Amino acid sequence: EESEVMENKGVKEKTMEDGVAAMAACYAGFDPAAYLQYNYTAPRADFTRRDSIVPWKLGCLHRAFTEGDISGGLLVDVGSGPTLYQVLSGCEIFERLVLTDFLEVNRRELKRWLQDQGKSSLDWTPYLQHVCKLEGRGALAWSEKASRLRAVVSDVLPIDVHRPQPLAPGALPSPGADCLVSCFCLESVSPDLDAFTRALGHIGGLLRPKGHLILIGALGESFYQGGPGVQIPVVPLDEAQVCSSLKQNGFTLMRLEVYVLPDDMRVGVDDVSGIFFVKARKE
Ligand code: SAM
C-alpha cells in the first residue's frame, strides 16, 4: 500500500514537471517589446485616468511603500520581465535592489535601460513622472528618480520560481531579502494552482522572517499574449485561492485590494477580469 502511495506521488510529480516544462516552452516565444506595447501603453497605461490599470497599480505600490512598516536594506523583484514600474516606489527606501527574470531577453531589456544605452523598448518617463507626483515631488524630480533607480539596482539575475532555490546559491545574503515584490509572475508561469502555491513557497524562501511580500497578479485569467501569435496559459485565480496559497505558505495577509477591469481595458491581449494587490508578511 505504501509503495502505491509513493507511486501516486511519483505520477503527480512527473505530471507537474511536464506542466512546468510546457510553460517554459511557451516562454521561448516571449517578445518583450510586444508585451510592453500590449500592457504598458494606453488605454492600460493612461495617466489621465484613475481607472486605468497602470495608475491603479502605481497607486497601490506607492501606498504600500509609504505606510512606514516596510524597511530594510534589500528589495528583490521576482519575475521582473521587461518592466520597471513595480520598483519605482520601493527604490526610494531600499539601498539595494535586485531584479530577476527567467528569460535572457527580458534581463537584457532591463540592463539596456539601467545602463542608459537609450534603446529601451518603452519610454519610462511618464511612469517616473507619475510616481514622483504621487510622492509630492516637483516636475523635475523624475530624472532624480531615474538616477536613484540606476544607482540602487545591483544585479539583474536569472530566476526559476519552480526550483526550491529559485536563485543561484549565494545570490542573496543569508537571512534573505527584507522585502519581495512580484507582479503577474507566479500565475502566468504555473501550469495549475498547486504549482502556483508551490512556487509561492519557493519565493518565500528568499525572504527573511517578518519580511514583507507585495504580490500583484491577474484574477480569472486563462491566457495572455506574450507576443504576436504567442499564447501563454495562465492559472485562473480568485481572491480566496490567493489568500489560501498565502496562508499555506506561512504569510499573514495585511491588505488585499481588487481592481475590476473596465470594459475598455479588455483589449484582446488576454482574458483577465481583475487584478489583486496583496501586502503580506512572512511569519
Ligand atoms: N513582472 C512583469 C510585469 O509586471 O509585467 C512581467 C510579468 S510576465 C506576465 C511573466 C514573467 O515571468 C515573464 O517576464 C517571464 O519571463 C517570467 N517567467 C517565466 N517563467 C518563469 C519562471 N519559471 N520563473 C520565474 N519567472 C518566469
Side-chain angles (χ1 to χ4, degrees):
E1 206 175 76
E2 196 178 305
S3 76
E4 205 173 284
V5 170
M6 290 298 289
E7 220 169 80
N8 280 339
K9 197 165 167 246
V11 169
K12 212 175 158 196
E13 267 164 24
K14 179 82 175 70
T15 312
M16 176 98 86
E17 268 169 38
D18 290 349
V20 162
M23 286 303 308
C26 288
Y27 274 95
F30 189 88
D31 176 341
Y35 175 77
L36 289 167
Q37 176 67 34
Y38 300 155
N39 294 289
Y40 296 100
T41 62
R44 292 186 166 193
D46 183 342
F47 295 98
T48 65
R49 283 176 58 177
R50 280 192 64 191
D51 67 344
S52 172
I53 298 178
V54 166
W56 182 80
K57 287 194 280 186
L58 293 177
C60 289
L61 287 159
H62 167 71
R63 181 152 64 145
F65 283 105
T66 49
E67 280 170 331
D69 55 342
I70 297 186
S71 64
L74 174 61
L75 173 63
V76 175
D77 179 36
V78 172
S80 306
T83 72
L84 292 163
Y85 73 91
Q86 67 277 19
V87 292
L88 297 181
S89 291
C91 74
E92 300 291 342
I93 60 172
F94 287 88
E95 281 137 45
R96 185 180 165 205
L97 171 49
V98 172
L99 303 177
T100 67
D101 201 73
F102 183 70
L103 294 177
E104 166 72 25
V105 282
N106 284 333
R107 299 194 300 271
R108 219 182 300 140
E109 175 72 43
L110 295 171
K111 284 179 194 162
R112 264 203 303 276
W113 187 89
L114 290 166
Q115 290 157 10
D116 199 9
Q117 292 169 340
K119 284 175 290 180
S120 291
S121 300
L122 190 80
D123 179 10
W124 293 103
T125 310
Y127 286 74
L128 292 158
Q129 287 170 331
H130 185 83
V131 178
C132 284
K133 208 167 162 190
L134 294 175
E135 290 171 358
R137 293 161 68 177
L140 298 175
W142 68 271
S143 68
E144 287 165 24
K145 186 179 279 296
S147 306
R148 167 84 194 171
L149 184 54
R150 287 185 170 115
V152 294
V153 174
S154 64
D155 305 278
V156 182
L157 302 176
I159 191 162
D160 183 352
V161 298
H162 298 306
R163 293 176 187 233
Q165 272 200 53
L167 293 171
L172 301 184
S174 70
D178 299 291
C179 183
L180 292 185
V181 171
S182 187
C183 306
F184 302 95
C185 179
L186 303 183
E187 71 280 13
S188 41
V189 308
S190 300
D192 53 36
L193 183 60
D194 279 352
F196 170 90
T197 302
R198 200 180 54 153
L200 182 60
H202 296 160
I203 70 166
L206 302 173
L207 188 60
R208 69 160 165 84
K210 308 281 176 214
H212 287 84
L213 168 71
I214 307 288
L215 192 67
I216 299 181
L219 293 170
E221 185 178 48
S222 71
F223 78 92
Y224 79 98
Q225 297 280 130
V230 181
Q231 279 225 358
I232 301 182
V234 179
V235 187
L237 295 172
D238 62 34
E239 294 97 303
Q241 289 166 330
V242 173
C243 293
S244 148
S245 290
L246 287 163
K247 204 170 168 193
Q248 283 176 62
N249 282 300
F251 287 101
T252 304
L253 183 64
M254 302 172 71
R255 182 195 295 283
L256 170 69
E257 287 184 52
V258 171
Y259 168 93
V260 177
L261 255 77
D263 281 340
D264 67 334
M265 301 285 155
R266 303 179 191 228
V267 290
V269 297
D270 53 45
D271 63 349
V272 66
S273 61
I275 298 173
F276 67 87
F277 168 87
V278 157
K279 184 176 185 178
R281 205 177 42 224
K282 185 169 161 175
E283 279 154 20

